Amino acid sequence: MKQIFNPYLPSYEYIPDGEPHIFGERLYIYGSHDRFGGEDYCVNDYVCWSAPLEDLSNWKFEGTIYRKTQHPYSVGRNILFAPDVVQGKDGRYYLYYSVADSAIMSVAVCDTPAGSYQYYGDVRDRNGHVAGSSSGDFFQFDPGVFLDEDGRIFLFSGFCPGRLEDAQGRKFVGCHMCELEDDMITIKRGPEIILDRNTPCPEEQRYFEAPSLRKFHGRYYLIYSVRIGGLHYYISDRPDGGYRYGGRIHSTSDVGINGHSIENPAYPNGNTHGSLIEIQGNYYIFDHRLTNHSSYCRQGVAEQVWIEEDGRILQVEATSCGLNRGPLLGIGSYPAYIACTLIDQNQYISKEEQKKRGICITQEGEDRECEPGQFIQNIQENCLIGYKYFSFTENTKVTFTVRGNAEGKIQIRTTETGKIEAELALYICSKEWKKVTGEFFVRGEKSGFYLAFVGRGSFDLLTIEFEK
């Protein structure tokens, strides 16, 4: 079995808002689809990836499962926002989605988990009124669909920005829920407010979007996103109410852990969306990170989490090893883009200047469905790049593949603020990739790997190779 790291899909793939589901013996990821270099969220069609449960490193591209052009009527930007999928009682698979600017929940259906979905209809009440279509309706956004063991079907939704309603008078009330009939589209009960926006709570815990309901050991976990600061959860002993706040599960910027905050993130802050799943007795949180100085180029990441006997989930840190179930081997070549720490002390310059000279993870070429090529761009003084974790047992040297115009030293640490373990002289003046090698003799079963540059100029980083 080969190793797996974050992001878990190929570097050319931008799948945020990932909802993981197990159908048969495979794990499927359903999410939005960003476009590299795009100027809005989710502008590509829905695609699907899957992996066998026994080998989460072996991801397969299932292809396009639903296109924007399949939605039967035009709404606003005609962009497919975050979806979710559930297998209905009839054995078919139902894909729930909301077209940007619609405030309506639409449904497509397919006979297989990753086949060609076809439009089925819009979620409506028994009188035929489409939820979210009229002033005064609750705004439908970010579906989280759940089929309970007793056969009841729940659809969670809700967006909660600063304003109270949209231009058409649809209301932003918080997180709300409908119970559906067996046809998967007719509202049997609801909508009912589950997390009221007016309930007093600390701002860093406040519901913003992305509800996803999961059940483990008889407890219901309502995973959701705050405005900035990661994925949090509420917990209850029933699916349709009684929820109490649990905590933060994960932040790709390590907000709330390791001394990091919204003002001092370990990785560029942005929106988030994902969910929990149990795979062969282990639990994983799926989330996404930003790249390319943009909120529109997001990639899926995942981490193992642990559920305590009392049901609590303690926050886990962002790592590079992710689904690997342990540190990466400290021997071999790794792409630089798997960095989980990316700190630029120059981050408070303007957005325009950031795009010109700020550090980021990016790629060359156009958006595509093949060929890797991501790298870290514009490494300079006052930047820190970090990887967690490696098992260093045999390494004696490290090689960086770099290009750019820079003169100085690359300093290496095993913790974010620890002592310097090695230094490599760097003198590079090249538009082509070149290799720079130095000694790196560190031992540890679980060690971080951090690098900083001291000197003049800037450079790009493509790969890191640890050698005996």
Side-chain angles (χ1 to χ4, degrees), residues 257-273:
I257 198 170
N258 296 336
H260 291 286
S261 64
I262 292 173
E263 295 76 22
N264 176 36
Y267 190 91
N269 272 321
N271 76 349
T272 187
H273 188 146

Side-chain angles (χ1 to χ4, degrees), residues 33-50:
H33 195 186
D34 284 351
R35 178 177 298 167
F36 177 76
E39 297 182 353
D40 205 343
Y41 298 105
C42 318
V43 294
N44 284 337
D45 296 323
Y46 290 144
V47 298
C48 184
W49 288 76
S50 74

Side-chain angles (χ1 to χ4, degrees), residues 93-387:
Y93 298 84
Y94 292 83
L95 183 151
Y96 293 76
Y97 67 96
S98 180
V99 175
D101 309 310
S102 75
I104 289 170
M105 202 63 70
S106 300
V107 190
V109 66
C110 186
D111 291 332
T112 59
S116 178
Y117 282 78
Q118 301 299 316
Y119 176 76
Y120 179 52
D122 298 330
V123 174
R124 63 198 65 202
D125 65 22
R126 289 168 175 164
N127 297 320
H129 175 75
V130 174
S133 63
S134 299
S135 177
D137 287 356
F138 292 173
F139 192 94
Q140 303 292 319
F141 186 83
D142 279 356
V145 60
F146 179 79
L147 176 60
D148 207 353
E149 295 160 351
D150 61 4
R152 298 169 72 192
I153 306 154
F154 298 94
L155 178 62
F156 287 75
S157 179
F159 184 41
C160 197
R163 61 192 188 278
L164 299 178
E165 59 184 39
D166 74 349
Q168 285 73 47
R170 280 83 62 96
K171 297 185 181 300
F172 301 122
V173 297
C175 178
H176 46 89
M177 175 218 75
C178 292
E179 185 175 351
L180 300 180
E181 300 279 7
D182 288 352
D183 66 0
M184 310 297 287
I185 201 169
T186 303
I187 296 173
K188 181 177 183 179
R189 167 191 166 198
E192 299 174 3
I193 298 175
I194 297 298
L195 303 178
D196 193 323
R197 68 174 299 152
N198 295 318
T199 300
C201 72
E203 195 60 34
E204 63 270 18
Q205 300 174 7
R206 189 174 301 280
Y207 173 88
F208 183 64
E209 60 184 0
S212 180
L213 187 65
R214 300 299 170 106
K215 185 179 183 180
F216 307 108
H217 308 296
R219 301 182 181 98
Y220 296 87
Y221 292 83
L222 181 55
I223 298 97
Y224 70 99
S225 170
V226 297
R227 179 65 184 87
I228 295 177
L231 293 174
H232 296 233
Y233 74 99
Y234 276 79
I235 189 170
S236 178
D237 58 3
R238 58 189 177 94
D240 53 355
Y243 284 93
R244 61 190 184 278
Y245 179 73
R248 182 188 283 110
I249 303 174
H250 179 252
S251 162
T252 52
S253 305
D254 272 354
V255 172
I257 198 170
N258 296 336
H260 291 286
S261 64
I262 292 173
E263 295 76 22
N264 176 36
Y267 190 91
N269 272 321
N271 76 349
T272 187
H273 188 146
S275 195
L276 279 170
I277 194 159
E278 180 182 2
I279 304 172
Q280 296 184 334
N282 296 307
Y283 301 92
Y284 299 91
I285 185 73
F286 282 74
D287 202 344
H288 64 238
R289 71 175 191 179
L290 275 61
T291 68
N292 200 42
H293 292 307
S294 173
S295 296
Y296 311 139
C297 299
R298 300 162 295 172
Q299 293 181 310
V301 297
E303 301 289 351
Q304 186 172 356
V305 302
W306 288 264
I307 299 179
E308 305 291 314
E309 287 189 9
D310 62 2
R312 290 180 304 140
I313 303 173
L314 303 181
Q315 182 178 352
V316 293
E317 59 187 345
T319 73
S320 302
C321 47
L323 297 173
N324 203 54
R325 298 184 183 178
L328 300 167
L329 297 177
I331 292 292
S333 181
Y334 294 92
Y337 70 78
I338 70 172
C340 57
T341 297
L342 202 66
I343 297 174
D344 186 350
Q345 298 301 331
N346 303 312
Q347 61 184 308
Y348 301 109
I349 60 178
S350 69
K351 290 185 178 180
E352 291 73 20
E353 285 299 307
Q354 271 286 325
K355 290 181 179 180
K356 290 179 183 178
R357 58 187 178 91
I359 188 173
C360 74
I361 294 172
T362 189
Q363 72 180 45
E364 293 180 327
E366 301 296 320
D367 186 67
R368 53 187 183 267
E369 287 295 341
C370 62
E371 299 178 12
Q374 275 200 332
F375 59 94
I376 301 178
Q377 184 181 61
N378 289 336
I379 302 170
Q380 54 195 296
E381 273 203 337
N382 299 316
C383 295
L384 183 68
I385 302 160
Y387 302 82

